[in-house]
Each structure stands twice: as C-alpha cells, then as structure tokens.
Amino acid sequence: MSDETPSKDLAQVTRVETAAERTGTAGIGELADLAPAAAAALNLLADAIKRGHADQDSVVQALKAAKVDEAFAAVLDAAAESVMASAEDPYDFDDRLAADNLGGAASDVRRVFHWL
C-alpha cells in the first residue's frame, strides 16, 4: 500500500498475541498455543449452536465423525503412559494414582461419545 492511497481496510493486523503470551504459559512451548487453539475451535462450534447458525445434531455428528473423542482420549492416554514411564518406582502410589486418573478420564471421554 502506498502512502498516496488511503486504506479501505477495516483493520490492519500489526501483531498477533498468542494465548501463551496472554496467560503467561510461554515456558511450556508449542503446547501453550496448541491447547488453547483446540479449545477455541470447540468454543466456536458451541457459539454457532447458541446463535442458531448450526444444528446441534450436525455438530455432534461432525465431532463424532472427526473422532474428537479418540483424539482427546489419546492425549490423556499418552499423559498416563508418560507418568508411568517417568516414575522412578512403578509401584509409587502417587504416580500410579495420577496415571490411573488420566487413563480413567480417557475411558470416560470415549464412553461419553458412545452415548451421543
């Protein structure tokens, strides 16, 4: 854009602030950007339903077809495996409890989608 021609843009993006910068989670790397992006995508779907721009059945079926439940459960399963892999003592109660809770949450996510 030259200086002689006035801009007809409604807005000009000069900087993009990431969720990591806003929340102070910049120290955890790419995950600080990926997790809020995933949540934002789901929130957009919820907003579309609330505003009447999307049919709730269609959104739920699209989530099931995209296997969102399996993707979310896979993250929780991987976290459970990581807890146990990094445990110094595989019989440590706290480590096993954390891993069991993550694995249980993964199963619950799968079960929720089963009933939809």
Side-chain angles (χ1 to χ4, degrees):
M1 183 174 93
S2 69
D3 291 333
E4 299 103 30
T5 308
S7 174
K8 294 184 187 213
D9 295 337
L10 292 176
Q12 182 178 10
V13 177
T14 58
R15 181 176 186 282
V16 175
E17 181 181 61
T18 67
E21 292 168 326
R22 273 193 314 280
T23 61
T25 56
I28 62 174
E30 290 178 353
L31 298 178
D33 295 327
L34 293 176
L42 292 172
N43 284 328
L44 287 172
L45 292 173
D47 189 53
I49 293 170
K50 289 176 186 175
R51 293 175 182 258
H53 298 294
D55 175 65
Q56 69 274 6
D57 290 331
S58 298
V59 170
V60 170
Q61 292 307 314
L63 291 172
K64 289 174 75 173
K67 300 185 185 229
V68 171
D69 57 326
E70 285 301 320
F72 188 34
V75 170
L76 297 172
D77 281 336
E81 290 172 16
S82 177
V83 167
M84 290 311 297
S86 65
E88 290 180 23
D89 178 6
Y91 298 104
D92 181 81
F93 178 77
D94 291 332
D95 290 336
R96 291 194 66 82
L97 181 62
D100 286 346
N101 285 340
L102 288 163
S107 294
D108 287 348
V109 167
R110 289 182 181 100
R111 198 171 15 259
V112 165
F113 271 72
H114 173 76
W115 293 108
L116 293 178

